[in-house]
């Protein structure tokens, strides 16, 4: 089914199950990369881990070849916000902050998620920024779940929840022009999901809607610039940035965070669909 105007693809519960399988591939790739992050490791090393993990699962890296992108992950270090290309020349050092964005397609369905990880001994203020971005992401997902449950939710309720969480946490820049998106049989679908805005606007939050929620915040100005490689987006003032993301889907009985190993249960509790088993019932 497709809704008119924005061409929003609504998924059946069975299709969301397939998206969950793709999401778990991404979750595992990110888990392995998180464990590998250390001083002396290059972003190309991380890219190799991702591609191996994805292909071993019978999936395909969705980033590789996407509009000509040459790698399986985006590996954005320090002032790089998103879309940085992995390189053997970019070697992680103590105190760095790296955002790793990863996508996979399995049986025609996409998963997409990102984490921000400190390298070695990192300034606590930077780790706090990464935590703020993650908390804001979960606030947005919770807002989607509650909005769908009430039958009154609108898309910008997510945007507002993300912005409110960031603003309450401190003086961070919220990157404009980049944000979340619909996801399904393509990696990027309608609608675009801003990380700021007033609530109550846009399409309704309904079962079958699948979105990638991805806050991007900075320690300074939210203004950005794109480097000459045509991909890497950096902060104009050189301040550090954090980027996190999960793919989620709304079902009649709750939300499913498709790229979280536990489906979002530890952060969202009873807002999560019964299709995601609780820890006490998992074999």
């Amino acid at each position: 089914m497709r809704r008119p105007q924005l061409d929003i693809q609504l998924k059946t519960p069975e299709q969301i199950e397939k998206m969950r399988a793709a999401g778990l591939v991404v979750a595992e790739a990110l888990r392995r990369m998180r464990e590998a992050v250390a001083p002396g490791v290059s972003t190309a090393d991380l890219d190799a881990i991702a591609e191996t993990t994805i292909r071993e699962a019978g999936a395909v890296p969705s980033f590789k070849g996407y509009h000509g992108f040459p790698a399986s992950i985006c590996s954005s270090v320090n002032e790089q916000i998103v879309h940085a290309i992995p390189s053997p020349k970019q070697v992680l050092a103590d105190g760095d902050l790296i955002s790793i964005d990863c996508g996979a397609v399995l049986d025609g369905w996409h998963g997409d998620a990102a984490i921000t990880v400190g390298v070695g001994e990192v300034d606590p203020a930077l780790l706090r920024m990464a935590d703020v971005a993650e908390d804001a992401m979960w606030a947005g997902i919770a807002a989607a779940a509650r909005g769908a449950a009430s039958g009154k939710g609108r898309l910008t309720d997510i945007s507002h929840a993300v912005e409110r969480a960031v603003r309450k946490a401190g003086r961070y820049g919220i990157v404009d022009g980049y944000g979340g998106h619909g996801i399904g049989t393509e990696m990027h679908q309608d609608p675009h999901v801003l990380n700021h805005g007033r609530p109550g606007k846009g399409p309704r939050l309904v079962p079958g809607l699948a979105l990638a929620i991805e806050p991007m915040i900075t320690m300074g100005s939210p203004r950005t610039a794109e480097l000459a490689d045509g991909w890497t987006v950096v902060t104009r003032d050189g301040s550090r940035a954090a980027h996190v993301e999960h793919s989620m889907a709304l079902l009649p009985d709750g939300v499913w965070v498709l790229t979280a190993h536990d489906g979002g249960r530890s952060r969202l509790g009873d807002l999560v669909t019964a299709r995601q088993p609780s820890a006490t019932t998992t074999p």
Side-chain angles (χ1 to χ4, degrees):
M1 296 186 298
R2 289 182 180 269
R3 299 184 61 169
Q5 298 177 347
L6 282 180
D7 195 25
I8 295 173
Q9 182 189 77
L10 298 180
K11 287 79 175 174
T12 66
E14 292 72 27
Q15 290 170 334
I16 291 171
E17 293 271 4
K18 293 183 177 181
M19 291 186 67
R20 170 60 167 167
L24 286 174
V25 174
V26 174
E28 179 60 16
L30 287 170
R31 185 192 68 80
R32 293 184 186 182
M33 286 186 282
R34 183 189 291 273
E35 290 184 350
V37 167
V41 173
S42 76
T43 53
D45 294 333
L46 298 176
D47 184 67
I49 292 170
E51 181 161 5
T52 297
T53 303
I54 291 166
R55 295 194 186 279
E56 284 179 349
V60 175
S62 51
F63 292 8
K64 197 165 189 176
Y66 184 74
H67 295 292
F69 190 78
S72 297
I73 64 169
C74 300
S75 51
S76 305
V77 181
N78 296 333
E79 77 281 358
Q80 298 170 344
I81 305 169
V82 286
H83 303 162
I85 301 170
S87 169
K89 296 180 179 179
Q90 185 155 46
V91 178
L92 299 178
D94 198 59
D96 283 345
L97 195 68
I98 179 171
S99 298
I100 306 170
D101 195 355
C102 181
V105 56
L106 180 65
D107 295 331
W109 294 92
H110 286 257
D112 187 9
I115 56 175
T116 294
V117 185
V119 183
E121 293 294 324
V122 180
D123 183 344
L126 297 179
L127 298 179
R128 167 65 178 157
M129 175 179 61
D131 287 342
V132 168
E134 184 155 349
D135 289 345
M137 173 187 66
W138 286 108
I141 295 170
R146 294 190 180 101
S150 72
K152 299 178 181 179
R154 297 279 188 171
L155 183 70
T156 62
D157 297 349
I158 300 171
S159 308
H160 181 70
V162 170
E163 180 179 16
R164 184 179 180 188
V166 174
R167 299 299 185 211
K168 288 177 66 176
R171 296 176 62 86
Y172 300 99
I174 299 177
V175 175
D176 196 13
Y178 299 88
H181 50 87
I183 186 169
T185 51
E186 299 89 24
M187 181 164 56
H188 294 109
Q189 297 181 330
D190 287 336
H192 183 60
V193 187
L194 292 172
N195 289 314
H196 57 84
R198 295 181 177 180
K201 306 292 184 182
R204 292 191 180 276
L205 300 172
V206 296
L209 184 63
L211 302 170
I213 310 300
E214 50 181 321
M216 300 165 216
I217 64 175
T218 75
M219 291 291 288
S221 169
R223 298 183 68 192
T224 66
E226 186 177 272
L227 299 187
D229 63 14
W231 287 102
T232 308
V233 179
V234 300
T235 58
R236 284 200 179 187
D237 62 1
S239 63
R240 304 285 185 96
H243 168 215
V244 296
E245 177 184 18
H246 267 312
S247 297
M248 50 139 276
L250 297 172
L251 287 132
D253 68 337
V255 66
W256 203 352
V257 184
L258 304 171
T259 47
H261 278 107
D262 71 347
R265 183 78 65 184
S266 63
R267 295 294 300 249
L268 301 175
D270 291 342
L271 291 175
V272 173
T273 175
R275 284 178 177 250
Q276 170 60 39
S278 66
T280 56
T281 60
T282 301

